[in-house]
């Protein structure tokens, strides 16, 4: 898929599972914790969606399963209001119980095939990658999405060091370039996202390296105005096409 595609189109997604292909219009992906320190989770996710975030993933290792399901119900309702997507990280059981349309795993989490056994082909499954070999593996796994396997998107990073992944070495822009070239060489339409330390100050570098989709955390979670922060990132992604 051409990273520098046409200007951002506001997508319309079902609040339920949309089938196993991540929409091509999904370009801005946000990961957030439960925001216990601020107590504004519902307002925050609503504001982020309003600014143009396509997918919001709840990622909070401190939240117990019952509370996570409650928070996901709030996230699902916000996604439905805005016609966007929401995601579960790591816990396939939580994804299955909540009916999450998107499920994300890391290299050391549940294998993709096992996730498919639990979720079937209805949920879009994504995978983190940190090396060229892992990128090549993700592209191979995308060849056929069935109830037994297959991958719908992958993430490359962390591009820069980030406190959300302590101890994880930055992969730099070279791996972003590698991903762009590898997907193109495979003549693949597999969506992929750059992740890790990306904000409004450096997103242009990521786009120039070949990424048309990004995952962010602090660029929106720490913003005084999440709607404006999201809108600015969408504009930056759209800039090469203007």
């Amino acid at each position: 898929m051409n990273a520098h595609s046409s200007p951002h189109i506001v997508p319309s997604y079902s609040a339920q599972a949309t089938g196993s292909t991540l929409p091509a219009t999904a370009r801005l992906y946000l990961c957030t914790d439960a925001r216990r320190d601020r107590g504004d989770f519902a307002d925050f996710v609503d504001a982020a969606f309003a600014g143009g975030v396509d997918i919001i993933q709840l990622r909070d290792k401190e939240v117990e399963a019952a509370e996570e399901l409650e928070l996901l119900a709030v996230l699902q309702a916000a996604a439905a209001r805005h016609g966007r997507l929401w995601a579960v990280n790591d816990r396939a059981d939580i994804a299955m119980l909540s009916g999450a349309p998107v499920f994300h795993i890391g290299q050391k989490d549940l294998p993709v095939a096992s996730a498919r056994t639990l979720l079937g082909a209805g949920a879009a499954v994504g995978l983190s990658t940190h090396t060229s070999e892992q990128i090549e593996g993700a592209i191979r796994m995308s060849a056929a999405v069935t109830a037994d396997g297959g991958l719908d998107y992958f993430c490359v990073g962390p591009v820069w060091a980030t406190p959300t992944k302590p101890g994880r070495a930055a992969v730099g822009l070279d791996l972003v370039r590698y991903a762009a070239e590898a997907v193109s060489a495979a003549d693949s339409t597999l969506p992929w996202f750059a992740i890790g330390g990306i904000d409004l100050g450096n997103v242009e570098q990521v786009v120039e390296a070949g990424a048309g989709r990004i995952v962010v955390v602090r660029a929106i979670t720490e913003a005084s105005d999440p709607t404006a922060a999201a809108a600015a990132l969408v504009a930056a992604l759209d800039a090469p096409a203007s």
Side-chain angles (χ1 to χ4, degrees), residues 94-115:
I94 296 293
M96 180 173 59
L97 289 169
S98 64
V102 182
F103 177 59
H104 190 84
I105 48 181
Q107 289 289 325
K108 296 182 179 180
D109 294 331
L110 191 70
V112 173
S114 298

Side-chain angles (χ1 to χ4, degrees), residues 57-174:
Q57 177 191 125
L58 174 60
R59 185 173 69 192
D60 193 325
K61 301 295 186 181
E62 302 301 317
V63 172
E64 298 294 341
E67 183 181 0
E68 184 169 358
L69 287 169
E70 292 175 356
L71 290 166
L72 289 172
V74 172
L75 180 55
Q76 179 181 17
R81 285 193 297 274
H82 293 275
R84 304 299 172 93
L85 291 172
W86 53 284
V88 168
N89 179 62
D90 186 22
R91 294 282 300 271
D93 55 340
I94 296 293
M96 180 173 59
L97 289 169
S98 64
V102 182
F103 177 59
H104 190 84
I105 48 181
Q107 289 289 325
K108 296 182 179 180
D109 294 331
L110 191 70
V112 173
S114 298
R116 286 290 183 206
T117 298
L118 290 175
L119 301 177
V125 176
L127 178 69
S128 297
T129 65
H130 318 293
T131 67
S132 58
E133 292 79 11
Q134 291 171 0
I135 290 170
E136 297 289 351
I139 294 171
R140 288 194 297 272
M141 279 190 283
S142 73
V145 179
T146 69
D148 298 320
L151 194 68
D152 298 286
Y153 72 92
F154 68 94
C155 295
V156 177
V159 181
W160 289 284
T162 169
T164 62
K165 290 291 183 181
R168 175 77 68 182
V171 301
L173 291 168
D174 283 345

Side-chain angles (χ1 to χ4, degrees), residues 8 10 27-30 44 46-54 84 199-200 203 214 216 219-221 223 225-239:
H8 189 78
V10 176
R27 299 176 64 200
L28 181 56
Y29 192 146
L30 168 65
F44 171 75
D46 196 69
F49 278 134
V53 171
D54 298 303
R84 304 299 172 93
D199 57 29
L200 195 59
V203 64
I214 58 172
V216 300
I220 296 177
T221 62
D225 185 340
T227 300
L233 289 166
V234 170
L237 289 172
D238 289 341

